[in-house]
Amino acid sequence: MLKQLSLILAIVIVAILAIIAALTIVDRGPDEEEIGSDTAEVTGPRTTIMVSVGADGSQVEVGCRLPVDGQSPFLVTFENGTDTTDDYKARVSVRLGDGGRSTVVAEAPELRPGERRSVLPEPWLEPDGVTGCEVVAIQASDRVIILEDG
């Protein structure tokens, strides 16, 4: 009797954990879609750029996400489309609301293959002052890629 009760209790616990895990996965889906839609809404020159960094032509995507509501932070996003883990940096030119410009640097150390990471650049900028951005250079390990205007 005690063995049956223990078995039933174990099955109930596993079922509850499975339901919680399923609800967590369902809740994460819309967040990823919102991130993608925010990136798609960003307008301006070179807000997202794909650069071939691998000998096989594999690419890394680097983009900047403007603050949507004046409270969310200004972020730089890296997505490693290569098959190796590497350190990436991006230099981004940022247009400010007062008409000025600022240059920031974002780092994504040890970015794994297929990983997508959003990072806060340095120096940190007030989100309500950012009006536009442009990726101007990317560094993968010791290789620097400067993007030309035009």
Side-chain angles (χ1 to χ4, degrees), residues 84-146:
T84 58
T85 298
D86 209 342
D87 299 330
Y88 295 98
K89 289 184 184 178
R91 186 175 63 191
V92 178
S93 177
V94 180
R95 285 189 311 272
L96 303 173
D98 62 4
R101 284 195 168 276
S102 182
T103 300
V104 297
V105 176
E107 298 183 37
E110 297 183 14
L111 193 67
R112 295 182 306 268
E115 182 181 1
R116 181 178 181 95
R117 187 183 307 164
S118 295
V119 298
L120 288 168
E122 292 290 331
W124 183 80
L125 300 172
E126 286 291 334
D128 60 350
V130 177
T131 61
C133 60
E134 180 178 11
V135 178
V136 293
I138 299 169
Q139 179 178 344
S141 293
D142 58 351
R143 181 176 175 204
V144 177
I145 303 160
I146 299 188

